[in-house]
Amino acid sequence: MALFWCFEALPLAVTALFPLILFPMMGIMDAAEVCIEYFNDTNILFIGGLLVAIAVEHWNLHKRIALRVLLIIGVRPALLMLGFMMVTAFLSMWISNTATTAMMVPIAHAVLEQLHKAPQDKDAEKGSDNQTFELQETSPQKEVTTLDNGQVHPVPPGPLEPKAQRTQEQLRFSQGMSLCVCYSASIGGIATLTGTTPNLVLQAQVNIISKNANVVNFASWFGFAFPAMIILLLLAWVWLQFLFLGFNFRKNFGMGEEARAQQQAAVRVIQTEHRRLGPMTFAEMAVTFLFVLLVILWFTREPGFFPGWGNLAFSNNQGESIVSDGTVAIFMGIIMFIVPSKIPGLTPNPEKPGKLKAPPALLNWKTVNEKMPWNIVFLLGGGFALAKGSAESGLSEWLGDKLTPLQSVPPPAIVCILCLLVAIFTECTSNVATTTLFLPILASMAKAICLNPLYVMLPCTLAASLAFMLPVATPPNAIAFSFGGIKVSDMVRAGFLLNILGVLVIMLAINTWSIPIFDLNTFPSWALTNATHCLANATAPGP
């Protein structure tokens, strides 16, 4: 399966179905046990989170958020880059990295085109509509790119060429903007449990090891990954600014009369697009309310440092919540199929004069079916089945025994080497496949050398999202690359140092604030299965 995933001999989702056939035939697991892994709690969380994300996209709420923040930040070159990175990272925490990039790259180039026009240009003065905004919506001939997860996604065509030939400086700024959007989409996805699929793979793998001990949930992951995301985002901004704008403070922060005139034209473009959205509709307000409510319920279900609503209202005999993050996500998804998109009783029925028509709901199955990446559901399930089969067959234990010589190596050194290895591997293969293959092996290795499995698994999961160097590494990179103006060498040069910075930030996170969150200094009791030799060290200091 690893070879098939690496070389894509079959679609990734088809390869993920192998355990359904081979595990029962090889006597590894019963067919019924294998099937359960394809629709476990983590897959439910994935589907529920995507239902809410699809509603946000369907009602264009993400575009309203993006334009509003850009109006607040302003369009001075350095701040414009920071504004786009902040918006993209925030949106990709909640909706697909691919959808975020596909929306933000055309907006970035539309703003840049106005910024690079002469102030005397009539279009710029009027702040007229810019077609680039509409390319992703209205163009009948869209390019289609097959992404690293096998998903087919429309790619916005390249920006319209301005009348005057772009200068080298403008071209570099344009390259920097494309890269800052696709990089911040990947960086933003690490901050939440549902932000990118590898995070969910980790949660499921930990649940398998710990027998669903609720070790990694939405709140604990956010406390660990959000600060790391903020630090990496700021470092990426400084690096991309240095690489593509240079350290000219006066120019980067838009000093001078000509720069101000161009910036006013660019602001008008954003204002025009924001006005075109009109006032917030009832549907947008309803989706915003349900989205905020979902996040609050996720954070307060079982936060750990105080009893959550899950512990108080829905607990088992041990006082643990029997409601999961997936339960909350599916509940909110179902609510969106019920809540109307307009205030009921105000919509006339054109077919029956004098009668009122029931408004459509916030979500309908046709929209969900078109936008839901069902292939990822199967890919996740196949990974979980593979991990379960490795444990049931004794492969994980055998592999862990072979890795015991690593006990003499300092834990931080092991983690650093593994993060670099995963970051290199994820440039060539799907990040989901990377985490699915690596995490069970890493868990076995950690138990064999009496190291808290989370100390190795958490950083390697983050490292799987450090796909910055190649266009094929991740869908956002492919979209930015296909938009034009970027060479592979540009992406490799920018991405190489960013990969190194990413590993350093991960090392900082796992050795500082994550220790109290996950109690990394002790060997946990839930990891003692097949690791009884660590019993004496269960309370001994770890890394």
Side-chain angles (χ1 to χ4, degrees), residues 36 53-54 64 94 104 119 153 164-165 185 195 203 215 225 229 277 282 320 354 359 401 425 436 442 445 463 518 529:
I36 289 169
I54 288 167
R64 185 181 294 278
W94 313 105
M104 293 300 291
H153 197 285
Q165 185 65 32
Q203 187 203 34
V215 180
M229 184 273 281
L277 291 174
F282 175 79
E320 298 165 345
D401 291 339
F425 201 76
T436 302
L442 297 179
M445 179 207 74
F518 296 105
T529 313

Side-chain angles (χ1 to χ4, degrees), residues 379-431:
L379 182 57
L380 275 171
F384 303 152
L386 196 60
K388 186 76 170 176
S390 298
E392 292 285 330
S393 65
L395 174 64
S396 295
E397 187 181 354
W398 175 85
L399 203 55
D401 291 339
K402 298 296 176 188
L403 294 168
T404 45
L406 285 171
Q407 201 156 11
S408 57
V409 181
I414 295 174
V415 171
C416 187
I417 293 165
L418 289 172
C419 283
L420 289 169
L421 182 65
V422 170
I424 293 166
F425 201 76
T426 199
E427 296 288 351
C428 310
T429 59
S430 153
N431 53 12

Side-chain angles (χ1 to χ4, degrees), residues 50 53-54 56-57 62-63 88 91-92 94-107 136-137 147 151 153-154 156 181 185 371 475-476 479:
L50 276 176
I54 288 167
V56 170
E57 284 183 54
H62 59 325
K63 189 170 184 178
T88 308
L91 291 175
S92 67
W94 313 105
I95 67 175
S96 132
N97 298 355
T98 309
T100 305
T101 310
M103 180 194 73
M104 293 300 291
V105 171
I107 294 177
Q136 78 213 65
E137 308 288 341
L147 305 173
Q151 184 181 351
H153 197 285
V181 169
K371 294 192 174 183
I479 290 172

Side-chain angles (χ1 to χ4, degrees), residues 409-415 449-456 507 510-512 514-515 519-524 540-543:
V409 181
I414 295 174
V415 171
I449 61 175
C450 299
L451 188 63
N452 190 322
L454 290 177
Y455 185 72
V456 181
M507 290 301 296
I510 200 66
N511 289 296
T512 52
S514 63
I515 292 175
D519 197 17
L520 296 180
N521 275 337
T522 59
F523 189 82

